[in-house]
């Protein structure tokens, strides 16, 4: 089915929503470019015969894990270079990217609770960069605040204490104003934190524990990523990449797998469905395990969220091809990936226990705060304000919890993320909170158009200055972000 190229979309949406007066600045280059190139959308390319966009042609790339340069009794020490690189996203093409060690997606860090991870990040780019450990309990000075940047040629040693529950975290660039650009071009990676308690549950592990970084992209004719700015809708690509390959396939054994899904898209929300609505079992959300496994058939999945799923392929006959769909997609964004069920499997050694953890009870909230989300004075705003790094917008008390309500007065989804702290989801004005959100800790929550979502953050274990913002990155960059400071 034909759909207009992304730039036609954006222009129309701009007009309709009254954004026409917003100046679009694209002052950044793209990796490895110098000359002008002819712009041909991937939509046009897809219509060609034997297009590299045909889904399920490539095997799922497995993201490499980062090896420490040194292990001491309490620390794992790593060294990474933030630099330009090339990725073979489309077979036969070299796509210029920015990457941790020049790789897209960047190498996964496997961390153990109680062992400090130290990562020296060298900025080999010619503009400022920094690294935010998204979902991590990290002292403010190591959090990757948008104004704490590493200058070109410089480096910074990030310390991550890992005093928190096992969880699927991720790290990405956060230099203010250009995050939509740098994430799109590849500065993101997973950070898998493990602990004893989770290990004792015998959940699928090792080769049966697979991170899936999902993002939408578009392409120029030469195979480079094509980026079209749209402050209203955010970037929308016409192709889905999983771990850097177009809608790939994965050959699976007839047994249980754990998939750690990361929505690494700039602004796209998904509605995930397996086959014609087969069962997926959610075991974890952003902040780690849920209290118990939750069966799901459709999963809304917003930017920056993580969802850990167990899929049991022993329920399927050998030869079954199971597609993970995006119900909210169109054209090339409908098929996320495919699981091809093989014969073997051997004896199942993993299980999903009925109880995964006990959930902490929070102290009674000491404040109620309300945040309106909307567009005003040429920017996206929270509580009628846009980002000002010289202003602290809210000062919660250390080691207390508060009730925060976000009311979305716009027609766009705003995935709201708080740095440094985790929260529980209390209510949604649109209906009940799904168990997959209610029974665990979160750091990002999708606030739907015209909806009010109430969450309860706990302001520990570290104090200091952090930010909270919309994770639709085109919104965050202009300038849907505020500062909070927790004083000891
Ligand atoms: Cu994923 Cu402010 O971050
Ligand atoms: Cu937003």
């Amino acid at each position: 089915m034909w759909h207009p190229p992304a730039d036609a979309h954006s222009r129309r949406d701009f007009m309709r929503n009254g954004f026409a007066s917003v100046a679009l600045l694209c002052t950044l280059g793209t990796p490895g470019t110098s000359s002008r190139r002819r712009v041909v959308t991937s939509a046009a390319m897809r219509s060609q015969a034997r297009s590299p966009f045909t889904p399920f042609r490539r095997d799922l790339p497995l993201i490499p894990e980062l090896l420490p340069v040194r292990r001491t009794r309490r620390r794992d020490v790593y060294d990474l270079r933030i630099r330009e690189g090339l990725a073979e996203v489309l077979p036969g093409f070299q796509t210029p990217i920015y990457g941790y060690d020049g790789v897209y997606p960047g190498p996964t860090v496997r961390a153990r609770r109680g062992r400090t991870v130290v990562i020296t990040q060298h900025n080999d780019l010619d503009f400022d960069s920094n690294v935010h450990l998204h979902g991590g309990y990290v002292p403010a000075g190591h959090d990757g605040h948008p104004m704490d940047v590493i200058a070109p040629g410089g480096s910074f040693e990030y310390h991550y204490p890992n005093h928190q529950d096992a969880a699927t975290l991720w790290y990405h660039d956060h230099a203010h104003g250009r995050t939509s650009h740098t994430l799109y071009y590849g500065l993101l990676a997973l950070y898998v934190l493990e602990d004893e308690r989770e290990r004792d549950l015998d959940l699928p592990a090792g080769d049966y524990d697979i991170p899936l970084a999902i993002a939408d992209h578009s392409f120029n004719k030469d195979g480079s990523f094509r980026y079209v700015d749209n402050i209203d809708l955010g970037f929308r690509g016409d192709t889905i990449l999983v771990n850097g390959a177009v809608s790939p396939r994965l050959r699976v054994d007839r047994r249980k797998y754990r998939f750690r899904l990361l929505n690494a898209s700039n602004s796209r929300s998904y509605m995930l469905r397996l086959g014609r609505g087969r069962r997926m079992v959610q075991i974890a959300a952003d902040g780690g395990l849920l209290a118990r496994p939750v069966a799901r058939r459709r999963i809304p999945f917003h930017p920056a969220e993580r969802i850990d799923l167990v899929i049991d392929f022993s329920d399927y006959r050998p030869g079954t091809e199971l597609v993970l769909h995006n119900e909210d997609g169109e054209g090339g964004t409908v098929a996320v990936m495919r699981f091809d069920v093989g014969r073997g499997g051997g004896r199942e050694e993993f299980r999903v226990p009925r109880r995964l953890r006990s959930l902490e009870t929070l102290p009674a909230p000491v404040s109620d705060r309300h945040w309106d989300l909307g567009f005003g004075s040429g920017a996206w705003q929270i509580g009628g304000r846009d980002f000002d790094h010289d202003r602290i917008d809210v000062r919660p008390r250390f080691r207390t919890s508060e009730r925060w309500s976000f009311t979305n007065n716009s027609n766009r989804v705003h995935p709201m993320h708080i740095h440094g702290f985790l929260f529980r989801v209390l209510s949604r004005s649109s209906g009940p909170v799904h168990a997959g959100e209610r029974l665990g800790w979160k750091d990002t929550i999708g606030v739907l158009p015209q909806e009010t979502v109430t969450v309860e953050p706990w302001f520990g274990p570290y104090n200091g200055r952090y930010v909270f913002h919309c994770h639709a990155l085109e919104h965050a960059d202009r300038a849907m972000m505020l500062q909070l400071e927790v004083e000891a």
Side-chain angles (χ1 to χ4, degrees), residues 413-414 470 472 475 480:
V413 177
H414 300 292
C470 176
H475 297 178
M480 205 172 177

Side-chain angles (χ1 to χ4, degrees), residues 286 305 362 423-428 433-434 436-446 453-457:
D286 306 335
E305 287 187 315
L362 281 172
F423 54 76
R424 303 286 294 281
V425 185
L426 301 180
S427 67
R428 285 186 173 277
V433 178
H434 195 283
E437 290 185 332
R438 188 168 38 83
L439 297 178
W441 290 94
K442 298 268 299 160
D443 57 53
T444 306
I445 186 78
V453 177
T454 304
V455 301
E456 187 175 354

